[in-house]
Amino acid sequence: MTASLHRLGAGAEAGLYYTNDSEREARPDRRDEYYLADGGGVWWSSGESVVRHGAAIDASSFRDLCAGFHPGTGKPLVRGAGPGHWAGQDCTLTPGKSVSVLWMAGTPEQRAAIEAAHRAAVERALAFVAAEGLVTVRTGAGGVERHRPSDIIVGRFDHYTTREGDPNIHTHCVFINAAGAPPKSGSGRYKSQTHLTIEVEQLYAYQICVGAAYRAALAEDLHRRFGLRYREAGRGQWEIAGPPEAVLAAFSKRSEQILNYAGAGATSAQREIAALATRRGKHELPTGAELEARWREELAVCALDPWDAARHPERDPAIAMAAARETERDPPFDQPEIPGDSPVTRAASALFRHESVVTRKDLLQRALELAGVQGLGVDAVEAELARLERDGTLLPLSAAERVPGAHACWTSPGIAACEAAMLRAADRPLERIWITPEAVEAALARAGHLSPEQGEAVRHAAGPDGVSLLQAGAGTGKTTTAAALVAAAHDSGLRVVGLAPSWVAADELARSTGILAQAIARWRHDRTRATDPDPAPHPDPSPAFGADTLVLVDEAGMVSTRDLEAVLSAAQAAGAKVVLIGDRRQLASVGGASALRAVAEVVGRSAVLEHVRRQTVDWQRAASVVMARGDAEAGLRAYAANDRVELISGAEAAHARVIALWSEQRVVHKGDALIVTRRNADAAALNARARAVLRAEGQLGPDVVALPSRNRADEVVPLALAIGDVLRFGESLPHLGLRNGNRARVEAITTDPDAGPRLRLRLEDGRALDTAWEQLTREPRFGRRSSQPKIVHAYAGTTYAAQGRTCCAAVVYLGASTDAREVYVGLTRHRHDARVVVERDRLDALCRQRQADARVPATDTLVLERLFREARTYREKANVVDYTADRVAFVRDGLLGLTERVSPGVDVRRAIRAARALREAVAWLGVDCLIVPAWRLVDACGRRLSRASAPVTRALVMRFARHLGRPSSVPPRDRDVGIER
């Protein structure tokens, strides 16, 4: 982590760590002089209200400020000053190891230049923190009002080595918990305060972004001074191109020490705890000339001059490998949203592949990361962002709260037009009758197993609207409901076409309803081919929509905006009816935004299946119901209360427990047990353990071959194969009739030295496949060479692979941070039982970060509460229409206008949540008089959340009454009193 955050302790003692700890690291050639100068720190101040910017830090003044006292007068500077006052926040900025290695191997002049570039980059990063309003102060009753402070005080301490004596340039930036009160912001008890305590919540949220700003500024300066080039180093970071990884590893002993203690998959919190646990005093390390001699010896062992390697970046094999991977990557179906190779255009296009609305934090972070690799700085990113706004390439949607003149989020003209077209195509109320009521009742009579709730859902979906919605929670019987709808459509003479976001979902829809179904990506591809002037022949073209067509879109919550717009627009043009079946609470779409939610708001009413049928245990059914309603935390608490949640320390022990539970469930449920996890790495590790168990049970033979294949991360790794193995295909192979996500069991393996390995597979649908290994790869396109098959073992899988599957029992492994969607999906796959195994150390480290002493382990209760906190995290992707001032105009004409600023005191988020909950409740109740959604009436009046006088309010109420056909009278008031709406 280039920018790491650490919360300081309380009082003046918290400052001792930085000022007079004799074991603190410093420059190896000047350690004694460094500490004689009280730590050698320098003040950074945005307003110079207490300290002078650039002045040397005096130890006593630093300790006074840590305790909340004015260093000049000794009087309290903020409320609560004293031994219990929180001292502040440490933000440590560190470059990639290659920078420190070049500094270590450089001449005095080169060292001085690198140090100057590092200091300038730190200055730029601190200016970025201030400009973005990441450190704030509170005023008002209860401290509800936040402001940009007039002065931020930071103590800077430059250090150059690690606790293992390796070169490591870094700067501790201590944000003092006392900032200048903004003018005209004082009220009540804050009125006389010149300084207030700080809030660093936004600093934590922008932690990676601050590090990216520092790296970009450093890369620009080093490129200007030395002409250096850079290569990507993973996680948005860069290293100097040229010095090989072996050299960097030789001078990363402290990182290796922490990695060995915490493990390869450790989080930043776990690495922080590991750093505390493995820390040793600096008195054990050599200093000065002795340390310099050790560095020269270690560098001689490497037999490489880092500066010479940096001058010849073309020799770096990492750059050649990255270029080869880029040429092998297939171009996406949808072209980049914004053409160009500059940092902001590339960042925006990458983000727009998964979001319709990009936030300031995400765009700046990604753009700064790309700028660093290109040797560009923060100013270049900000200038490009301003240019893209001016020329309309990026459309601002809302203003940033504490960044004057800046915007908090953007969309693109193409995305806005696409979403407006989707909503227009969805707005088809009371269009005509496709499915006759007689056919519906006849189909329901034949399907006597359906519940009254399912029957009403069929009637609603078969209604006269051109687009109907069926919102079905996990395990509520949506497939049997869809089968009855299909039967009614066939009785009415309609042709039914099924679409889904994946081939697995499409095949399941086809199997359960007996209709033709395919992936939307394939349908869009065939539709594009149909418009080509000279299309190539295709053996199985997608059927065209017509006026006699019913289009069923399954798993609609995972369909992107572009895909759903294409389906709805084609159906509207052909006069076909569309029924969207999905659940917004399960996994969201990978691309685009919350398309299903946007369409649901236009359509207004939807059928809802709430009664859970999948789980056989009453309390588990109840847990599924509350999770379907959006409360995954309550569902997870139910499993914990019934002893279904286990906390296991260590990834290895947790993996072993998952396999033990899986083995138990397989015995009870005759092998029908599923392992669900989040990370691909965990799935691979659990698959290896599962194979060992099956081999010990005699259900799996010895490994016959280990063939090169691509894993879920698209890395080429050996795949061990044995008779009885269950495999999952990671891409569609049309020439073999295989879909992405299909599973198969290995029945035979033959190895011919001349013809190569050959497999006989038995697919889930009963088909047998006998093919050579080299045929299990996608046919190369665009002149590229053939790649390796994308196949993995299928005993454990991620939540995305598990959604849509049903099993007797499931074991859910939570080894990484989770959220409400993944908890909901993982705990609703089973019929009879589900167990949850939680890797405890990750949550324990997060709890320790909040404790006064991070060395004390957290209790199981605190660890579980931290897990429940993650389970309540629910993020729904934003739609462009969420930000429009007039939704009716946006849907009708695609006009995009910004909403006005909201008056202080209006809790907009809670108001929006309340309005949406009320709208959903009205829809579920089936109130027929509200044919037009209520938000349209509000937007048609052009009203926004602001203060309005009483006459305006009465006129608005009268207009609503006329729309609803109800008499209304608003009694006059003695005086006009504004209301907040």
Side-chain angles (χ1 to χ4, degrees):
M1 185 70 70
T2 304
S4 58
L5 298 177
H6 173 70
R7 183 181 174 90
L8 271 64
E13 289 76 10
L16 298 177
Y17 181 83
Y18 301 93
T19 56
N20 59 355
D21 182 353
S22 61
E23 296 179 1
R24 189 69 185 156
E25 73 262 31
R27 290 189 54 160
D29 56 343
R30 294 188 305 174
R31 173 168 288 189
D32 295 336
E33 298 176 12
Y34 180 91
Y35 285 106
L36 287 174
D38 289 327
V42 176
W43 287 115
W44 187 95
S45 175
S46 61
E48 299 188 313
S49 61
V50 176
V51 299
R52 182 167 53 87
H53 181 82
I57 293 178
D58 175 76
S60 60
S61 298
F62 183 78
R63 290 194 290 270
D64 286 341
L65 282 170
C66 285
F69 294 104
H70 194 292
T73 65
K75 295 182 179 180
L77 190 62
V78 294
R79 294 174 61 90
H85 172 75
W86 168 49
Q89 183 73 42
D90 181 353
C91 177
T92 305
L93 298 173
T94 311
K97 177 58 68 173
S98 57
V99 177
S100 294
V101 168
L102 282 187
W103 172 84
M104 175 267 300
T107 63
E109 293 77 14
Q110 290 170 328
R111 285 191 177 186
I114 291 178
E115 292 169 12
H118 166 71
R119 286 193 294 268
V122 171
E123 288 274 347
R124 188 65 183 88
L126 292 176
F128 178 84
V129 170
E132 293 296 317
L134 305 184
V135 176
T136 60
V137 294
R138 290 178 180 264
T139 62
V144 297
E145 299 177 7
R146 292 193 180 188
H147 307 272
R148 293 166 60 93
S150 61
D151 183 21
I152 299 176
I153 305 170
V154 181
R156 290 183 41 184
F157 300 89
D158 297 334
H159 298 139
Y160 297 83
T161 62
T162 69
R163 287 185 175 268
E164 291 299 318
D166 287 325
N168 185 47
I169 300 175
H170 61 284
T171 295
H172 294 270
C173 302
V174 180
F175 288 82
I176 299 295
N177 187 21
K184 300 181 181 179
S185 66
S187 63
R189 62 178 179 172
Y190 300 97
K191 196 168 185 178
S192 61
Q193 297 290 119
T194 60
H195 287 74
L196 302 170
T197 56
I198 65 174
E199 292 289 336
V200 293
E201 178 183 350
Q202 281 296 95
L203 183 61
Y204 271 91
Y206 274 70
Q207 177 179 355
I208 300 177
C209 193
V210 172
Y214 160 76
R215 291 194 305 273
L218 180 62
E220 181 185 36
D221 203 335
L222 292 177
H223 178 72
R224 177 179 57 81
R225 293 174 185 267
F226 302 110
L228 298 176
R229 286 178 56 190
Y230 310 97
R231 60 176 175 84
E232 295 185 0
R235 297 187 177 183
Q237 304 191 48
W238 54 260
E239 293 286 4
I240 296 172
E245 286 292 338
V247 174
L248 306 186
F251 294 95
S252 302
K253 289 183 284 293
R254 180 62 177 151
S255 298
E256 183 179 0
Q257 189 180 68
I258 294 173
L259 179 65
N260 292 337
Y261 186 94
T267 63
S268 59
Q270 288 176 281
R271 290 194 295 270
E272 182 177 333
I273 300 302
L276 291 174
T278 58
R279 176 176 290 171
R280 62 170 176 167
K282 289 296 182 65
H283 63 279
E284 304 174 24
L285 297 175
T287 59
E290 187 179 354
L291 184 57
E292 294 278 3
R294 195 189 85 175
W295 285 348
R296 288 194 296 271
E297 292 175 1
E298 293 176 345
L299 194 58
V301 173
C302 297
L304 183 139
D305 180 5
W307 281 95
D308 180 67
R311 295 187 187 99
H312 298 88
E314 68 278 0
R315 302 174 185 170
D316 195 333
I319 293 182
M321 292 174 61
R325 286 195 300 268
E326 191 65 27
T327 57
E328 292 177 2
R329 188 172 302 164
D330 289 343
F333 182 80
D334 293 314
Q335 295 301 310
E337 192 64 34
I338 304 175
D341 196 45
S342 53
V344 178
T345 57
R346 287 180 58 193
S349 294
L351 292 171
F352 279 138
R353 291 199 181 282
H354 305 287
E355 305 279 350
S356 290
V357 177
V358 299
T359 64
R360 182 176 186 84
K361 176 178 74 70
D362 292 339
L363 183 57
L364 284 177
Q365 175 185 321
R366 185 60 180 143
L368 289 168
E369 291 172 349
L370 294 171
V373 177
Q374 296 180 13
L376 302 175
V378 181
D379 294 339
V381 169
E382 293 179 343
E384 184 189 359
L385 181 57
R387 176 180 61 80
L388 294 177
E389 279 191 353
R390 285 194 305 270
D391 63 21
T393 303
L394 287 176
L395 301 179
L397 295 177
S398 67
E401 292 183 3
R402 282 176 288 276
V403 187
H407 295 100
C409 54
W410 298 267
T411 189
S412 72
I415 289 177
C418 178
E419 186 171 313
M422 178 188 72
L423 298 181
R424 284 196 300 273
D427 191 13
R428 300 167 59 189
L430 306 176
E431 190 166 306
R432 68 181 180 90
I433 299 295
W434 281 271
I435 306 174
T436 65
E438 294 78 11
V440 171
E441 297 305 322
L444 292 178
R446 294 194 299 270
H449 56 281
L450 295 183
S451 68
E453 181 186 56
Q454 290 173 305
E456 287 303 315
V458 173
R459 293 186 183 95
H460 171 81
D465 294 342
V467 177
S468 300
L469 269 68
L470 173 55
Q471 299 194 50
T476 55
K478 69 170 184 177
T479 55
T480 54
T481 305
L485 178 64
V486 169
H490 285 158
D491 291 347
S492 299
L494 297 183
R495 182 170 55 94
V496 184
V497 175
L499 295 174
S502 68
W503 275 112
V504 172
D507 290 342
E508 176 61 23
L509 178 63
R511 185 194 62 79
S512 59
T513 60
I515 64 174
L516 173 67
Q518 60 182 179
I520 297 179
R522 166 67 183 277
W523 174 83
R524 285 189 63 194
H525 179 266
D526 290 350
R527 187 164 172 257
T528 302
R529 285 165 45 87
T531 61
D532 291 344
D534 187 20
H538 198 281
D540 187 21
S542 299
F545 297 164
D548 62 343
T549 304
L550 169 65
V551 183
L552 287 185
V553 181
D554 196 14
E555 300 289 357
M558 297 181 68
V559 180
S560 68
T561 300
R562 288 198 181 277
D563 287 347
L564 195 54
E565 184 276 329
V567 173
L568 295 182
S569 295
Q572 183 187 41
K577 179 178 174 60
V578 179
V579 175
L580 304 176
I581 307 172
D583 183 4
R584 285 167 44 194
R585 302 294 182 184
Q586 296 190 56
L587 298 178
S589 64
V590 176
S594 300
L596 182 62
R597 173 171 62 85
V599 170
E601 291 173 352
V602 168
V603 174
R605 289 190 60 192
S606 61
V608 179
L609 296 180
E610 286 193 300
H611 183 68
V612 175
R613 293 164 176 79
R614 179 176 295 165
Q615 280 76 48
T616 58
V617 182
D618 290 341
W619 69 264
Q620 293 181 3
R621 275 203 307 273
S624 297
V625 170
V626 297
M627 287 190 287
R629 292 176 178 175
D631 195 348
E633 178 190 0
L636 184 58
R637 284 183 182 273
Y639 280 84
N642 286 275
D643 299 324
R644 294 302 195 279
V645 178
E646 299 183 30
L647 300 175
I648 307 296
S649 292
E652 290 294 320
H655 288 172
R657 184 55 181 161
V658 168
I659 296 301
L661 290 173
W662 175 70
S663 299
E664 294 174 7
Q665 298 292 352
R666 286 173 47 249
V667 173
V668 175
H669 301 290
K670 299 180 180 179
D672 189 12
L674 180 66
I675 300 175
V676 183
T677 184
R678 178 176 191 177
R679 296 184 300 187
N680 291 324
D682 289 328
L686 291 170
N687 275 322
R689 286 178 174 268
R691 296 182 76 246
V693 170
L694 293 173
R695 180 169 290 118
E697 295 175 353
Q699 300 187 38
L700 190 67
D703 290 342
V704 178
V705 290
L707 301 175
S709 67
R710 287 178 293 142
N711 60 16
R712 290 179 172 90
D714 218 29
E715 302 167 335
V716 178
V717 295
L719 180 69
L721 294 177
I723 305 300
D725 257 326
V726 179
L727 308 178
R728 182 181 185 273
F729 296 93
E731 59 188 3
S732 296
L733 305 174
H735 62 287
L736 296 176
L738 295 174
R739 311 294 197 194
N740 182 2
N742 280 168
R743 289 170 171 79
R745 183 178 297 275
V746 179
E747 293 186 338
I749 304 174
T750 58
T751 56
D752 188 329
D754 297 325
R758 192 173 187 87
L759 304 182
R760 188 170 73 243
L761 305 174
R762 180 67 59 179
L763 302 178
E764 286 180 305
D765 58 9
R767 288 182 296 150
L769 180 65
D770 193 326
T771 180
W773 175 258
E774 62 182 12
Q775 293 298 315
L776 293 173
T777 185
R778 188 172 53 183
E779 296 178 354
R781 295 180 295 175
F782 310 107
R784 292 178 171 84
R785 62 183 177 86
S786 179
S787 59
Q788 302 295 340
K790 191 168 187 178
I791 302 175
V792 296
H793 294 116
Y795 309 104
T798 62
T799 48
Y800 271 93
Q803 178 160 337
R805 295 195 65 189
T806 302
C807 57
C808 286
V811 181
V812 181
Y813 174 57
L814 300 180
S817 60
T818 187
D819 58 21
R821 293 181 185 272
E822 292 192 335
V823 169
Y824 176 32
V825 172
L827 291 179
T828 52
R829 300 303 95 203
H830 65 284
R831 288 188 291 268
H832 301 295
D833 198 9
R835 305 295 292 269
V836 181
V837 176
V838 183
E839 201 284 302
R840 189 187 192 281
D841 292 348
R842 178 186 66 85
L843 296 167
D844 173 69
L846 291 173
C847 292
R848 292 198 202 188
Q849 284 185 316
R850 304 281 180 174
Q851 297 176 171
D853 188 352
R855 295 169 295 182
V856 179
T859 64
D860 285 351
T861 300
L862 290 177
V863 169
L864 279 175
E865 287 301 320
R866 184 73 193 193
L867 175 66
F868 297 148
R869 178 180 173 183
E870 289 185 353
R872 77 174 71 116
T873 304
Y874 178 83
R875 177 183 176 270
E876 193 159 31
K877 293 185 178 182
N879 297 309
V880 178
V881 71
D882 297 337
Y883 294 87
T884 56
D886 188 340
R887 293 192 174 198
V888 173
F890 174 70
V891 175
R892 183 184 61 242
D893 306 320
L895 299 178
L896 185 64
L898 290 179
T899 55
E900 294 178 355
R901 281 189 175 274
V902 179
S903 300
V906 177
D907 194 334
V908 181
R909 294 182 178 178
R910 289 186 178 275
I912 292 175
R913 285 199 300 268
R916 287 176 177 168
L918 179 61
R919 183 183 62 239
E920 291 178 0
V922 170
W924 290 344
L925 290 173
V927 179
D928 293 329
C929 63
L930 292 179
I931 296 176
V932 179
W935 62 263
R936 290 193 178 186
L937 301 179
V938 177
D939 289 341
C941 297
R943 303 301 179 188
R944 302 175 176 87
L945 286 170
S946 59
R947 294 183 179 273
S949 62
V952 173
T953 303
R954 287 196 293 270
L956 181 60
V957 172
M958 295 290 290
R959 189 165 183 180
F960 281 174
R962 288 195 298 271
H963 274 292
L964 297 174
R966 305 279 183 83
S968 177
S969 61
V970 180
R973 303 284 296 273
D974 293 336
R975 58 189 177 90
D976 291 345
V977 181
I979 65 169
E980 292 182 358
R981 297 183 291 107

